[in-house]
Structures are given as structure tokens and as C-alpha cells.
Amino acid sequence: MTPADLPLAGVRVIDAVPGPLGAIGRFLRELGADVIRIEPRGGGADRLTGPKAGGIALGFAAANLGKRVATIDLPGDAARLLDLARDADILLEARLPGLDVEAVRAANPALVVVSISDFGENGPWKDWQASDAVLHALTGGLSRSGLPGRPPLLPPGELTFQTAAPQIAYLALAAFIARLRTGRGDRLDIALLEAAMQALDPGYGLSGSAQSGVPLWKMARTRTDERHRYPIFRCADGFVRLCVLAPRQWRGMFKWMGEPAAFAGAEWEKLVTRYRSAALREAFVRFLAPKTRAEIEAEAEAHGVPAAALLDVAEAIETPQMIAREAFAPVEIAPGLRLPFPNGAVEIDGVRAGITGGVPEAGGSARFGGARPVFAAPAPADAPLAGIRVLDMGVIVVGGETGRLLGDMGAEVVKVENGAFPDGQRQSRDDAAVSLTFAAGHRNKRGLSIDLRSARGKALFLDLVRQADVLASNFKPGTLAALGFDRETLAAANPRLVTVDSSAFGPTGPWSARLGYGPLVRCAAGLTKQWTYPGEPESFSDAVTVYPDHVAARIGTCAVLALLIRRMRTGRGGSASLSQAEVMLGEKAAEIAGLAAAAAGLSIEPGATSEDWLIACAGDDEWCAVTLRDGADRAALAALTGGSDRAAAERWAATRAPDEVAATLQAAGIPAGMMVRVVDIPASPQYRALGTFREARHPLIDAPFLVEGRPARSGGLPDPDQRPAPRIGEDSAAVVADWLGLEEDAVAALLGDRIIEQAA
């Protein structure tokens, strides 16, 4: 793929976002944008933060590959920044000191300014400071992480920052499309608090299928032991995880075990029966113990049983799948020092949109140059995607979320299903007509039930494809092709069509056909082995999350928006594919580079690092997350508590409520946040001030319920519609009539022959 083929070729971005959120600009660069990072003379402070190899901070390298640098000290170099901004399309900034946003917007009224702050620009927490640990506490994740009767457990890595970055990129691209349609720029006020809550594991959106339709806000306030959902077993050379969920998977497991008579009854096809059975678990233990991880994976695949070995990160990047897909590529970060970095999260038209350059050197004087592309944008509209038609074949979380994100930006999204194969998100423990999680996560869609196994159904679907702008799916690779809808057939039917697909391990490679659920991907990507209590390697605690589904959906949605932007420039559509395993490993870029450096015998300099504490507060299971970044934070802590050590902080906090502890520490300039439970998030004062949630209704649900509202405050992005999630085939007749212009008798014939079905 040449640079001109990349979707965002010609799009110009100024990046003034330091630290791990520099990944926003790097992702846009991978998609083809020209990204200029601005930093003061001598380089930004993030060049010195965290572990270093060859004198280069690995976190800085991971967040900034391929960018160019312009040295700008504000306010002295304000004129230089204004000159740069006049030629730019998007400005990413995170409370850049000395930045006059209004002057920049006046210099370029068509500029999209994305202003990122930790907690938003209004509300009681607007001056608070965030860290990964603090965001875990305040977004509900910490309250669900860990084992019953134990303290909460901080997840590994920087998941809140890494997942927030694609959410912010999605909003930036949506605002840019709005600007292409209207000619007017915009300013987005984005709170990292909201972006992290929405993109990691939102409590008021789609939940994993094992939740059986019960939303997270209805779960117990205390941490629950969820290990039975996706159990982990010791084997001959480590650990493996099984995800035996569907009846057909249980039948495969039963056969694999030699059809033991004790588990032959029909009751064992019920998930709840298997979850509750200690005898079945013991049978699994005995059966798997003598086998190696490789043997278990091979035998499980042969029997249709989802399983995965628990790998560490070093093993994960050396699997045959990652090697075959060239998921990592060497980058020279210093003279003679080459380390592996993720080669992009997305394939465009079958080719990786990956690494575009090395680590940018400080002291640059980059400018935008070259001819500006001409974009043939649709007519102005109230929403960026108004008039865009989407065929949504996505299921469960990543598929459902992709369609919903497009619908929230104004697209007409048609959820394509068949009554014989409904989306697993529809299931509920009480057999309700619609589950709360489905109602929340599939809003703003229409429902089409179509028989894609019949010749007439296939022909009808291709007719719909000819009228569509986007086709989204997340089936196992090869499923659409087996139905007769391979990439070539779809492109021939509609050369302007944009397609996006997501799978566990990607569309190619020896693992492409593996059954993949998020819990298995976490095992294969090394996260499960890390999500444990310190010193307790078998205290696995990742079963509480559906990561990386939500963030993968946002990356896929970004690819769709980028391809729609390219279509405005070239007139042609395109395809995007992503692997959830690669998404997850991509968010461990600095760690992976550090492991490679250590394996090569290089010394790793620690760099400036912070320390996270979880401090028990007054009350039952009440906690506060505290991040100490440097000596100044420790001195401020000592002034409050009488000592800079953890014991002094614990004594001080023990008699204070967690919100008091957090507010007092924040007032002293120390990042801190009380552990907020999911059910309490909407009532938290900052979420209320930001208007994060809104009330929604569904005709099949008696009481109103809460969903996420506007994802950012801006002048151009709309409040999402409130259309309720559809029943299977609720709009079948109307969709084929609207899209294809069919008369009543033609629609009636399709209904009569059950090519389409209409909900009663």
C-alpha cells in the first residue's frame, strides 16, 4: 500500500498531547495522516518518562512512531503555532500551557480542535488530576477487579489510557467528517474520565454473553468470584482456560472427555448447571492435568471447544500466529538498536496500516506541505454520518458496539439477523423479550431478518449491499465468504462499499479459524497471567471484564470513518480488518520493546516512574487509589498524613470516607480517586456535571434505564438519537421497501416465502 492509498492521506494533524495519549496521533498517522508533534525546546517531558533503552523512553517511542516534530514554546512561539494551525485539519491538545484556543480557531475557522482534559472543563472535579489507577477507581473497573474477601486489584498496564485513545480518535474523525460536510470547524471538550469509562468496560452498555443479559449495574456491590465463567485449569506445562458456553460446545467437550456417563443427561447442556457443578469441575481437572497446553489446544479445536493456553507476553509475540501475520516489526530507536513494536492494529484492503517511521527527534521544524486533497463530501447535515447506510451483521459486544457507534453519529444502521441464529446478546436469564444490555447496546438500529442460506435471500442481500455504504461483521474468518459474500463479490456489487470485520486472531494465519472469545484472547495475549495479586501467580482475576471488545469496536469504527473519508477523496470503498489479540498486544508496546531489549542483554534504565497505592478508607470495603509521581507528591502526602510512607497514609485514611480522602489528596495536588461502584457512577458529581448519562426507554421494558449520552461536548457533534433497539426483523418490510423501492406486492412475496421475516 502506498501512502496515497492510506485512508487519511492528505489529512493534517497537529499533536500536542503528551504521554500515553500520544497514541491517538500515532494511530491517525498509521491510517495515513500527516502528524506533527509540537513540543518545547529540548523535547517534551514524556521523552524522559518510564523505562528507557538506548537512552530512549520506550513509552515515548510507542506513542510517537512516524510523527514529525515542530519545536514551539508557548506563549513566545504563538505566531509559529498559528501559522501551522492555518494549514491543519485537526489539533489534538491536552491543556497545552500557553495555548490560546480561540486565537487558533480564529486563525483557521475550519479547524477541528480536540481538547482533552482529565475530568472535563466543568464540574467539581475539573481541576483534579488523573492516573491510570485513579481512572480505574472512578470508572467502576476497580470495584469489580479482584477476588471476594480480598482488596481490589489494579489491572496490569495502562488500560484506561490505551483504551481511551481510540475513543478520542473516533470522536476526532467524526468531527472532521462533519467539518468536510459543513466547512465549519469545531471544538470538542473530551473528558478522559468519560473516554476511559466508555471504551474499557462500560457499566451501562453491552456486557459479555456470559452475563446473560444482566447489566453490570445490577450485579452485587461486592466483588464476586467470576472464575467459574471462564475456568482456568492447571495442565502438564502451565495453565489453560476453557470457554464452554453454547450447548454445541458442551457436546464437543463431552465427546472429547470420552462421553462420561455421569454427565450424559440433557441438564448438562444448560450453562447454569455446568457453572454450579463441583463434580464437573473436578472431572475437568483430572482430564486436563496430564496434557500439555499445545495438546489441549489442538484437541479442543478438533472438538469445537473454545480453549487457550495461558501465555506470558514474551510467548505471545512469538506464537506462529503473530509471526505469520508480521504483527511486530523492528524499529531503530537509537543508532544500531532495533526493537520490535506493534505494526498497526488495522489492515486496510488486506495490507497493514502500520509503522510509518521511527522515533521523532527533538528540535524539529516540521511544516505541512504538498497539495491539499479535494474531498467530495455529502451535503451538510445535522450529524456527521447522516445519509450513510450500514448493514450491521455484528454480534455480541465488538460487533454490536461498532454498529451502535455509527448509529450514534447519524448513520442508518440495519441490524441483519435471522430468527434461527439470533445475536447472543438477546439472551436473558429471565427469558425477557429483550435484555437490558441488548436494549442499551443496540439502540439506534433497525431490524432486518433475512434468510441468507437461500438463493433468493442471497440475491436480496446483494441488492441491499448495492445500496449500502458500510458492511460491518465480526464472524469467524471465512463465514461471509462461505455464504457467497467474499470481498471480491461485495466489491463487484458495490465498488463504493466500506467493509469492516473483527475477529479474535485476524483473517489470516494458522490461528485465524480458532474460536475466539475475549477471555481466550486475554490468555493468548499474556494479560490473564498478569492480572493476579502480587506474589500469587494463580490468583487469576481477569474474568470480570470483556476487554478488548469495546476498544476493538472503536478501532474498527475509526477505520470505517477513515475509509469513508478516503471515499470522499477517491470515490472508491475499501476494507478494514482487525485482530483483537493484536489490539491487546498493541497496547503493550513499551513493555514488549523492553522485554526484547532485556532479552538482547541491554540494560534498561528505569526513568521517571510513579507508584500506585490502594488505601483502605473508613467503611466496609471502601478504597482510594493514589498515585505518587515524584518527590513533590510524597512531600505533599507527608504534610497531610505525617509521613510519606504507606503506613502513615493508611492510618490517616482509616477514619475518613473515601470521597473525603480523594478530595483532600487532590486539593494537595496528588492524583487520587475513590473506588466507585458501577451502580453509583451516574450519581457521582462529575458524571452528573458532564451529563454523561441519559434516561432511555424501550417498549418491551417496563422501567426506564440509563445509557451513555453525548460522548463529548461540542458545537457540531449531535446528541445521539433515542431509537429503541429492534426486535428480530422488526423493520424487515420497511427496510427492503425503503432501500430497494419495492412495491407492496413484492415485499409481501418475500414475506410469504419467508425470505424475510417481520416481527409480530
Side-chain angles (χ1 to χ4, degrees):
M1 180 175 292
T2 67
D5 290 327
L6 287 167
L8 296 184
V11 178
R12 302 174 173 191
V13 179
I14 300 173
D15 183 353
V17 180
L21 289 179
I24 304 165
R26 189 212 63 232
F27 180 38
L28 298 179
R29 175 64 186 136
E30 290 170 355
L31 291 173
D34 185 5
V35 180
I36 295 179
R37 169 186 162 95
I38 62 172
E39 58 183 22
R41 287 169 180 80
D46 53 349
R47 289 180 177 269
L48 307 174
T49 302
K52 295 187 288 185
I56 301 297
L58 298 177
F60 172 82
N64 292 283
L65 292 178
K67 300 177 186 176
R68 299 187 294 145
V69 169
T71 300
I72 293 178
D73 271 312
L74 295 177
D77 292 330
R80 190 180 305 168
L81 175 61
L82 292 180
D83 284 343
L84 197 63
R86 289 186 183 96
D87 290 331
D89 298 303
I90 299 171
L91 166 62
L92 306 170
E93 67 92 12
R95 289 190 172 178
L96 178 65
L99 175 65
D100 186 340
V101 172
E102 293 310 312
V104 169
R105 296 191 69 195
N108 182 357
L111 186 67
V112 172
V113 178
V114 180
S115 295
I116 307 162
S117 57
D118 288 350
F119 293 95
E121 297 180 353
N122 58 75
W125 301 352
K126 65 182 178 64
D127 295 320
W128 282 22
Q129 299 178 67
S131 68
D132 182 69
V134 168
L135 290 171
H136 275 301
L138 294 172
T139 58
L142 181 62
S143 68
R144 297 183 291 114
S145 178
L147 301 178
R150 303 286 304 275
L153 177 63
L154 282 171
E158 294 181 312
L159 292 187
T160 60
F161 290 122
Q162 295 295 335
T163 55
Q167 167 75 2
I168 297 169
Y170 152 69
L171 296 173
L173 291 176
F176 179 62
I177 289 176
R179 166 259 169 107
L180 290 176
R181 299 185 70 160
T182 65
R184 298 189 301 272
D186 197 1
R187 180 170 183 264
L188 279 59
D189 164 21
I190 298 178
L192 187 54
L193 174 75
E194 291 178 302
M197 183 274 295
Q198 292 161 341
L200 178 52
D201 190 6
Y204 291 81
L206 284 171
S207 301
S209 57
Q211 287 285 120
S212 298
V214 179
L216 295 177
W217 54 268
K218 278 200 165 189
M219 302 301 287
R221 289 180 63 85
T222 57
R223 281 173 295 286
T224 55
D225 193 343
E226 303 293 337
R227 289 175 291 180
H228 64 283
R229 295 184 186 274
Y230 317 112
I232 293 171
F233 300 95
R234 180 180 286 278
C235 62
D237 61 349
F239 296 90
V240 293
R241 168 174 270 162
L242 301 182
C243 287
V244 185
L245 303 176
R248 68 181 183 280
Q249 293 164 355
W250 163 247
R251 290 191 288 271
M253 186 74 207
F254 179 65
K255 183 177 180 180
W256 181 22
M257 294 173 68
E259 301 183 347
F263 308 111
E267 69 274 13
W268 294 101
E269 293 205 354
K270 294 182 179 179
L271 191 61
V272 66
T273 303
R274 300 197 299 274
Y275 277 171
R276 292 174 177 172
S277 175
L280 180 60
R281 181 177 177 83
E282 288 303 315
F284 284 169
V285 169
R286 293 190 300 271
F287 178 69
L288 298 171
K291 301 177 185 290
T292 66
R293 294 181 298 176
E295 288 171 342
I296 291 169
E297 286 187 324
E299 293 174 14
E301 185 172 3
H303 287 84
V305 175
L310 271 66
L311 307 179
D312 58 35
V313 173
E315 291 175 312
I317 65 173
E318 294 295 334
T319 61
Q321 180 69 6
M322 293 299 155
I323 292 171
R325 286 182 52 75
E326 299 180 340
F328 292 83
V331 174
E332 186 173 59
I333 68 167
L337 175 57
R338 295 168 69 84
L339 296 176
F341 283 86
N343 195 17
V346 179
E347 293 174 80
I348 300 294
D349 300 333
V351 180
R352 279 192 178 275
I355 295 169
T356 57
V359 182
E361 295 184 5
S365 56
R367 305 280 303 185
F368 296 117
R372 300 299 298 268
V374 176
F375 295 96
D382 293 335
L385 299 185
I388 296 295
R389 287 174 161 176
V390 179
L391 290 171
D392 175 12
M393 305 182 80
V395 295
I396 311 297
V397 177
V398 65
E401 195 86 329
T402 302
R404 194 270 299 173
L405 291 168
L406 296 171
D408 279 0
M409 288 297 167
E412 180 187 350
V413 180
V414 173
K415 181 164 180 58
V416 181
E417 287 179 280
N418 184 284
F421 306 99
D423 189 333
Q425 270 295 337
R426 290 186 179 276
Q427 68 181 353
S428 63
R429 293 179 186 175
D430 57 1
D431 293 322
V434 61
S435 70
L436 275 168
T437 55
F438 187 89
H442 287 270
R443 59 192 185 272
N444 294 333
K445 300 180 183 182
R446 304 172 82 186
L448 167 65
S449 178
I450 184 170
D451 177 10
L452 291 180
R453 297 188 181 276
S454 70
R456 286 176 64 193
K458 293 177 190 293
L460 179 67
F461 183 73
L462 280 179
D463 285 341
L464 293 168
V465 165
R466 292 183 181 95
Q467 302 302 317
D469 297 285
V470 178
L471 171 62
S473 66
N474 64 315
F475 302 124
K476 187 168 69 173
T479 301
L480 273 181
L483 289 169
F485 308 122
D486 56 45
R487 184 179 297 172
E488 293 74 21
T489 299
L490 294 171
N494 183 353
R496 290 175 54 82
L497 183 71
V498 169
T499 65
V500 61
D501 61 83
S502 169
S503 58
F505 298 104
T508 61
W511 291 9
S512 61
R514 279 194 175 188
L515 294 168
Y517 296 109
L520 301 182
V521 178
R522 294 195 294 272
C523 291
L527 187 69
T528 300
K529 286 192 74 171
Q530 293 181 328
W531 203 321
T532 58
Y533 287 91
E536 300 180 50
E538 297 187 33
S539 58
F540 306 112
S541 299
D542 73 309
V544 297
T545 181
V546 295
Y547 172 79
D549 299 64
H550 293 281
V551 66
R554 281 151 177 81
I555 291 172
T557 304
C558 285
V560 169
L561 299 183
L563 285 167
L564 289 173
I565 291 168
R566 186 181 73 176
R567 193 177 74 171
M568 297 179 201
R569 177 169 53 87
T570 67
R572 73 177 190 276
S575 66
S577 296
L578 65 147
S579 152
Q580 293 183 42
E582 291 169 16
V583 166
M584 192 177 299
L585 284 168
E587 294 178 352
K588 290 183 166 295
E591 178 184 344
I592 289 168
L595 288 171
L602 300 174
S603 61
I604 305 296
E605 305 170 54
T609 57
S610 58
E611 185 177 1
D612 296 319
W613 292 352
L614 295 181
I615 303 297
C617 304
D620 181 21
D621 194 30
E622 300 289 354
W623 299 82
C624 188
V626 182
T627 298
L628 301 175
R629 300 162 296 185
D630 49 30
D633 284 348
R634 292 184 180 276
L637 181 69
L640 283 174
T641 67
S644 59
D645 62 339
R646 187 165 185 159
E650 289 174 339
R651 288 192 298 271
W652 172 77
T655 59
R656 293 170 168 82
D659 53 349
E660 178 191 348
V661 171
T664 303
L665 291 171
Q666 287 280 2
I670 302 169
M674 56 282 190
M675 184 181 76
V676 178
R677 291 166 173 84
V678 172
V679 69
D680 298 325
I681 286 176
S684 296
Q686 190 64 15
Y687 290 103
R688 292 173 61 187
L690 295 174
T692 305
F693 298 98
R694 59 181 178 162
E695 192 174 89
R697 292 182 176 273
H698 194 283
L700 299 178
I701 297 176
D702 292 337
F705 52 95
L706 292 180
V707 298
E708 297 162 11
R710 202 173 193 179
R713 285 140 297 283
S714 82
L717 295 183
D719 288 327
D721 279 347
Q722 288 272 25
R723 289 170 286 145
R727 292 171 291 164
I728 297 175
E730 180 172 346
D731 308 289
S732 295
V735 166
V736 297
D738 293 348
W739 283 37
L740 305 178
L742 298 184
E743 300 293 339
E744 278 189 35
D745 57 348
V747 175
L750 292 171
L751 289 167
D753 294 337
R754 304 192 69 175
I755 303 303
I756 63 173
E757 295 187 358
Q758 181 78 27

